């Protein structure tokens, strides 16, 4: 998927300009009450321009035409802001649509004999089983039930490196539209045509199913209420003006064109014009981070997150435990321990098993043996026994968790030496994982496996703490190991020996306290917790159940992406708040431009409000209207890019907002309106 950050490229710009005129449809304008009021005002001023040619008209046709033109421009600029934000989503959707092709699927009537029938992918149903060989495209979303293969997912993720998909575990989910590049897969279909993950991605980035978030709806209601209030205020000014002229015997009643101009300038048009664009741009920024949000609500919720649940392995640590030390029992021999550990690891293809062999070779020069000659009987690791090993020359060599080995040697009449027990505790306290090795009933010693904490992760957690976000590490390790790693990584809390039930209970506990919780997951066992979390990020490499339970999917399958998602959510909220502050503040300058121009003839004392010393009443009013339009298009890049977020406290954020966008909103209009007035005076002169 495209990750372009060019907001104003030629194609999108051209499409946005065209869409700006298409969106003049009244049915479209009615969706935004603030801009609909400006739209009606534009129609009214256009009618007033035609009427200005009559002898009874009080305003010159050029002035009315200028006001009408700039009101239409204001509406077009608002449409442009929304259209250019939508344009980025549509560009991303177009790139995704290119990968959506009609695929011939090979349906298996009986998976055991591999007899396949060629059918169209559109004819497949949920539960159907298909075989996909190297070079073929996966027809629909599904779960791998047999086989291991490399899959090219670049059409969806944008990453060229293939990924491994296999049956069982957390890498069994496949996406329709991706391509198998080696071996074969037997897949059970889990989605109907038109309802695949790719289809949902296209719909979301296009904005076709974008729903306004609760905060966005609340702000829209507030802006509509303010617009209504200003409408009522402006409506009362006409009879007031007529009465004032009669009572004072000087001046002339305010004209309808001036009333419309005053209303448009006082209404919160700036934020009203940019509100939709801000929401769409937030979704786009998430898409550029290779995350697909299934709802805008989730993006917004990410900005309000209080608690962050993170897996230890692969998120906080590198997820690749390595053997670092052999620690023999008292009276034992270091080489003897290393040799036994090496033999027990010969059939262990895990990263831990290979690291034991590497360490034995490095420290003692031990090398692999010809298996045909020694004729070993390997015992694979299982979750039930929590150990593995080999039976060789009548000896049973085992390595595994301390509790499992202790129970094993006790059954054989042996025991776990106290010094080994102490060593195990020390390894666990240091944040490493201990393995104990035995030969028959004799315990030979322990192996230290260390999972390295990722570089820079502690600083990231410090930033989150400054944001007011509590970080909780989730791990299956024992409490001692979990505590040590938690301290090294700098997380606020941890959940050790975590089970799906424990995760779910922890999330509910935080939510009962009124906190919003975010977490990541990739397995079927994570689905209940993901469904309960307020922001649930499922890994694209994970199971179908996890992706269906989450409200976001990370296409890169990077658990640390959750931190970036929180930043994007906060940036969305900050952008909306900052531009709202600016919009309300910049209306103040317009009072000093339009009110003296409209009423100074009747009330000369109002000339004191003309702080900008504008050239004439006509240029004053027109300058305010022009500035009101131009500020919208000037703020479009900021609305699309978003306000830069820095991890500081809420009080500091508020101060920065008021200082930059509050004071900026007060000062900029005075400068802008005065500059436009000078240019108008020069042009008219």
């Amino acid at each position: 998927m495209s990750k372009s950050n060019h907001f104003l490229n030629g194609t999108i710009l051209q499409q946005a300009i065209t869409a700006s005129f298409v969106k003049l449809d009244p049915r479209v304008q009615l969706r935004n009450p603030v801009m609909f009021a400006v739209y009606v005002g534009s129609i009214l001023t256009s009618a007033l321009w035609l009427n200005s040619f009559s002898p009874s008209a009080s305003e010159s046709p050029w002035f009315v035409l200028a006001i009408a033109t700039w009101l239409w421009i204001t509406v077009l600029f608002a449409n442009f802001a929304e259209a250019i934000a939508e344009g980025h989503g549509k560009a991303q959707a177009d790139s995704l649509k290119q990968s959506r092709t009609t695929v011939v699927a090979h349906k298996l009537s009986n998976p055991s004999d591999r007899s396949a029938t060629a059918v169209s992918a559109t004819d497949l149903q949920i539960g159907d089983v298909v075989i996909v060989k190297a070079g073929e495209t996966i027809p629909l979303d599904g779960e791998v039930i047999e086989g291991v293969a490399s899959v090219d997912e670049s059409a969806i993720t944008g990453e060229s490196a293939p990924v491994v998909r296999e049956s069982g575990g957390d890498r069994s989910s496949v996406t329709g539209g991706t391509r198998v590049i080696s071996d074969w897969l037997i897949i059970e279909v889990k989605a109907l045509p038109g309802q695949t993950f790719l289809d949902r991605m296209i719909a979301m980035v296009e904005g076709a199913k974008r729903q306004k978030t609760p905060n966005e709806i609340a702000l829209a209601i507030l802006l509509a209420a303010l617009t209504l209030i200003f409408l009522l205020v402006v409506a009362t000014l006409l009879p007031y003006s007529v009465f004032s002229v009669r009572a004072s015997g000087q001046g002339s009643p305010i004209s309808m064109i001036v009333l419309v101009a005053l209303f448009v300038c006082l209404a919160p048009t700036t934020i009203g014009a940019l509100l939709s664009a801000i929401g769409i741009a937030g979704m786009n920024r998430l898409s550029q981070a290779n995350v697909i949000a299934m709802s805008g609500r989730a993006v917004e919720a990410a900005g309000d997150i209080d608690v962050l649940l993170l897996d230890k392995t692969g998120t906080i640590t590198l997820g690749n435990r390595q053997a670092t030390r052999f620690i023999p029992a008292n009276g034992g021999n270091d080489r003897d321990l290393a040799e036994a550990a090496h033999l027990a690891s010969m059939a262990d293809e895990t990263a831990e098993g290979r690291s034991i062999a590497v360490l034995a070779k490095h420290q003692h020069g031990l090398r692999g043996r010809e298996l045909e000659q020694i004729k070993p009987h390997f015992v694979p690791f299982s979750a039930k026994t929590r150990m593995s090993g080999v039976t060789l020359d009548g000896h049973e060599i085992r390595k595994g968790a301390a509790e499992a080995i202790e129970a094993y040697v006790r059954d054989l009449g042996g025991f776990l030496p106290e010094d080994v027990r102490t060593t195990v505790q020390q390894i666990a306290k240091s944040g490493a994982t201990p393995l104990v090795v035995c030969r028959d009933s004799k315990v030979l010693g322990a192996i230290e496996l260390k999972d390295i904490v990722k570089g820079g992760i502690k600083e990231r957690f410090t930033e989150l703490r400054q944001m007011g976000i509590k970080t909780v590490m989730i791990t299956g390790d024992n409490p001692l190991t979990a505590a040590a790693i938690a301290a090294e990584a700098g997380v606020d809390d941890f959940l050790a020996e975590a089970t799906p039930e424990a995760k779910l209970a922890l999330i509910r506990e935080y939510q009962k306290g009124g906190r919003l919780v975010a977490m990541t997951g990739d397995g079927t066992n994570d689905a209940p917790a993901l469904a309960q979390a307020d922001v649930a990020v499922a890994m694209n490499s994970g199971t179908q159940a996890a992706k269906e339970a989450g409200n976001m999917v990370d296409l890169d399958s990077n658990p640390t992406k959750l931190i970036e998602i929180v930043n994007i959510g906060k940036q969305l909220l900050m952008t909306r708040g900052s531009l709202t502050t600016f919009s309300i503040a910049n209306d103040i300058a317009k009072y000093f431009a339009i009110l003296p121009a409209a009423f100074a003839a009747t009330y000369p004392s109002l000339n004191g409000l003309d702080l900008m010393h504008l050239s004439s009443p006509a240029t004053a009013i027109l300058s305010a209207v022009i500035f009101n339009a131009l500020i919208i298009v000037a703020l479009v890049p900021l609305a699309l890019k978003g306000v830069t977020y820095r991890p500081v406290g809420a009080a500091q954020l508020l101060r920065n907002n008021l200082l930059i966008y509050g004071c900026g909103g007060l000062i900029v209009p005075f400068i802008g309106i005065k500059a436009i007035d000078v240019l108008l005076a020069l042009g008219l002169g």
Side-chain angles (χ1 to χ4, degrees), residues 101-220:
T101 57
T102 302
V103 177
V104 175
H106 298 92
K107 181 179 175 181
L108 298 177
S109 54
N110 186 1
S112 59
D113 62 12
R114 310 284 174 85
S115 56
T117 305
V119 299
S120 173
T122 56
D123 296 330
L124 293 173
Q125 300 294 320
I126 294 175
D128 287 345
V129 179
V130 298
I131 183 169
V132 186
K133 299 177 181 178
E136 297 178 349
T137 300
I138 296 171
L140 295 170
D141 297 355
E143 292 278 350
V144 178
I145 58 176
E146 189 176 342
V148 181
S150 296
V151 179
D152 178 9
E153 296 185 344
S154 58
I156 294 176
T157 66
E159 302 296 334
S160 58
V163 295
V164 175
R165 293 290 177 260
E166 58 188 338
S167 60
D170 297 336
R171 296 185 178 272
S172 61
S173 177
V174 290
T175 305
T178 58
R179 188 168 59 90
V180 176
I181 59 177
S182 74
D183 302 296
W184 53 268
L185 296 172
I186 295 179
I187 300 165
E188 182 181 350
V189 175
K190 295 291 187 179
L192 292 171
Q195 300 176 12
T196 65
F197 181 63
L198 184 61
D199 293 316
R200 285 187 292 163
M201 282 176 62
I202 292 169
M204 290 306 303
V205 298
E206 270 187 324
K209 294 185 178 180
R210 190 184 95 87
Q211 296 180 340
K212 291 184 177 180
T213 62
N215 284 350
E216 192 175 352
I217 293 171
L219 183 56

Side-chain angles (χ1 to χ4, degrees), residues 439-450:
R439 181 186 294 115
D440 300 322
S441 63
K442 182 180 180 182
V443 175
L444 301 178
I447 308 170
E448 181 185 60
L449 298 176
K450 197 167 182 67

Side-chain angles (χ1 to χ4, degrees), residues 587-640:
D587 285 342
I588 295 174
K590 299 163 192 174
Y591 289 106
F592 294 91
I594 296 181
L595 290 180
F599 294 101
T602 305
Y603 297 104
S605 58
L606 288 177
N607 280 318
L609 294 178
D610 186 17
L611 302 179
M612 291 172 279
H613 302 292
L614 302 176
S615 303
S616 68
T619 61
I621 295 168
L622 187 56
S623 297
V625 173
I626 293 173
F627 176 84
N628 194 65
L630 294 180
I631 197 64
I632 293 172
V633 75
L635 291 173
V636 167
L638 182 61
L640 297 180

